[in-house]
Amino acid sequence: MIHTVLGPIEERELGVTLPHEHILVGFIEDGKLTRDDYDRQEVVDHILPYLLELKSVGCRSFVDCSPEYLGRDPYLLRELAEKSGLHIITNTGFYQAPYLSPFVYEIPETELAKLWIREYDDGIGDSGVKPGFIKIALNKGRLNPVQEKIVRAALTTSLETGLPIQAHTNDGIAVMHVLEIMAERHFDPSRFIWVHAQNEKDLDMHELAFKQGMWIELDSIMRWPNEDNCRLLQAFLDRGMKEKLLLSQDLGWYTVGKEQGGDIRPYHKLFTVFIPFAEEWGIDRSVLDSLMSYNPAIALRNRS
């Protein structure tokens, strides 16, 4: 079972999925982003055509990775899901400095987890929308105190709710630290998605995380040259990591504070540009299909 903004669905209903994209992002520091900082109708008007275009090329599900204080809006996502026909999934959790509310630095880990568990149990605010995953971030290198607290709270929340975790990541050293914490907590790494895995160049770190069960997400599609993405994807496949790989773009999005939302990058090109290129480059289409449908359904399923 997977929670979308319109309610729970079965894993088999997820279909072809983009596991890491964004609809709205507001880079306003110290947790000060509010609903008054943007016009929700304007966001709908600008983003809906991109979502309809995405659905027209066969994508069925869209995972929105903007956490609270960085642009999460369950009401906006629900309206876009209703109008686009896509399964849209939102999150609970917090990001990293400087986009954290000041209270996050002071609140104990257990209380932080309770906030996220409450959103899962009761819905986000009064929206009735339940999160389908936990979104956090890792700083570069070994975790600093606030990010370690956030990681530990996310593990607690995952164990209590069954939700998987997606973690914005800058390098493999942070992931190695997370694996240490997981071992200490007897936490199953298969509940955890290493986001932006392409940022780490040492493939031995990816393989180590994979062997412990962690998901590896290559989300630079349409950000990096197609050939570079194919080389990295093939390197992962050559190491036998197909069963734990995810592909996405980390694209969009309506940027709060920019006129008309700024430069919104379309979501459909992974399917219309990259996949044809990858096939021609030599990656089997059945492998690509598995990475875009079967794998996301397993990675995003609720373990409760």
Side-chain angles (χ1 to χ4, degrees):
M1 185 266 293
I2 296 169
H3 282 289
T4 78
V5 297
L6 296 182
I9 61 172
E10 298 295 327
E11 295 166 27
R12 57 182 168 76
E13 297 178 73
L14 201 66
V16 176
T17 302
L18 287 177
H20 192 103
E21 308 295 333
H22 295 273
I23 282 172
L24 172 75
V25 178
F27 293 106
I28 298 176
E29 297 183 3
D30 300 325
K32 293 180 179 178
L33 177 67
T34 72
R35 303 287 186 265
D36 294 331
D37 291 316
Y38 57 92
D39 182 323
R40 188 176 286 149
Q41 188 57 54
E42 181 175 291
V43 180
V44 169
D45 292 343
H46 280 77
I47 291 294
L48 182 58
Y50 293 100
L51 295 179
L52 292 172
E53 187 173 31
L54 175 63
K55 188 169 186 284
S56 75
V57 300
C59 186
R60 190 74 188 92
S61 298
F62 181 105
V63 181
D64 183 77
C65 288
S66 296
E68 187 173 8
Y69 307 125
L70 203 68
R72 184 189 67 170
D73 184 335
Y75 306 93
L76 170 67
L77 297 180
R78 185 169 58 196
E79 182 175 353
L80 286 169
E82 290 170 343
K83 290 182 174 178
S84 69
L86 288 168
H87 296 307
I88 296 180
I89 302 169
T90 190
N91 62 82
T92 192
F94 295 147
Y95 192 53
Q96 64 182 351
Y99 307 109
L100 294 173
S101 179
F103 84 89
V104 179
Y105 297 91
E106 305 299 330
I107 190 172
E109 169 199 328
T110 53
E111 294 303 310
L112 199 53
K114 285 179 182 178
L115 291 177
W116 302 338
I117 293 166
R118 189 178 305 122
E119 288 196 329
Y120 176 78
D121 288 339
D122 302 332
I124 299 168
D126 61 0
S127 70
V129 171
K130 291 192 174 186
F133 67 104
I134 304 159
K135 174 64 188 295
I136 61 171
L138 313 179
N139 55 269
K140 193 169 186 178
R142 290 184 66 82
L143 302 180
N144 63 40
V146 70
Q147 297 309 139
E148 180 172 350
K149 178 171 66 174
I150 286 172
V151 166
R152 290 180 177 276
L155 301 188
T156 298
T157 303
S158 178
L159 290 170
E160 180 70 23
T161 63
L163 293 176
I165 301 167
Q166 286 211 45
H168 169 99
T169 305
N170 294 298
D171 66 11
I173 295 173
V175 175
M176 297 303 106
H177 191 183
V178 169
L179 284 170
E180 292 174 22
I181 297 169
M182 287 180 177
E184 171 198 324
R185 296 282 295 272
H186 304 289
F187 184 90
D188 180 1
S190 70
R191 294 171 176 258
F192 193 94
I193 300 170
W194 177 350
V195 174
H196 311 323
Q198 68 274 1
N199 290 339
E200 175 53 59
K201 307 308 178 188
D202 183 353
L203 299 193
D204 289 342
M205 287 191 178
H206 297 103
E207 188 169 354
L208 189 154
F210 160 77
K211 286 179 175 177
Q212 295 195 43
M214 190 176 285
W215 291 90
I216 311 297
E217 185 178 275
L218 170 59
D219 45 46
S220 56
I221 308 300
M222 307 318 301
R223 283 174 166 267
W224 288 12
N226 287 330
E227 193 163 310
D228 290 351
N229 278 317
C230 284
R231 285 198 191 96
L232 182 55
L233 176 55
Q234 188 63 59
F236 287 155
L237 295 172
D238 289 344
R239 288 180 178 235
M241 296 165 60
K242 181 183 88 167
E243 66 187 56
K244 288 290 184 178
L245 290 179
L246 300 169
L247 298 181
S248 210
Q249 301 164 121
D250 190 21
L251 289 184
W253 50 73
Y254 184 101
T255 302
V256 176
K258 290 193 175 182
E259 186 176 358
Q260 305 298 303
D263 181 20
I264 301 170
R265 294 159 294 179
Y267 304 113
H268 67 88
K269 290 188 177 181
L270 187 152
F271 304 102
T272 59
V273 176
F274 177 72
I275 286 180
F277 181 94
E279 279 191 275
E280 202 169 305
W281 195 84
I283 298 175
D284 190 88
R285 178 58 186 257
S286 66
V287 171
L288 294 165
D289 288 344
S290 179
L291 301 186
M292 296 306 305
S293 55
Y294 179 79
N295 282 13
I298 303 302
L300 292 167
R301 68 182 175 187
N302 188 294
R303 304 290 188 86
S304 59

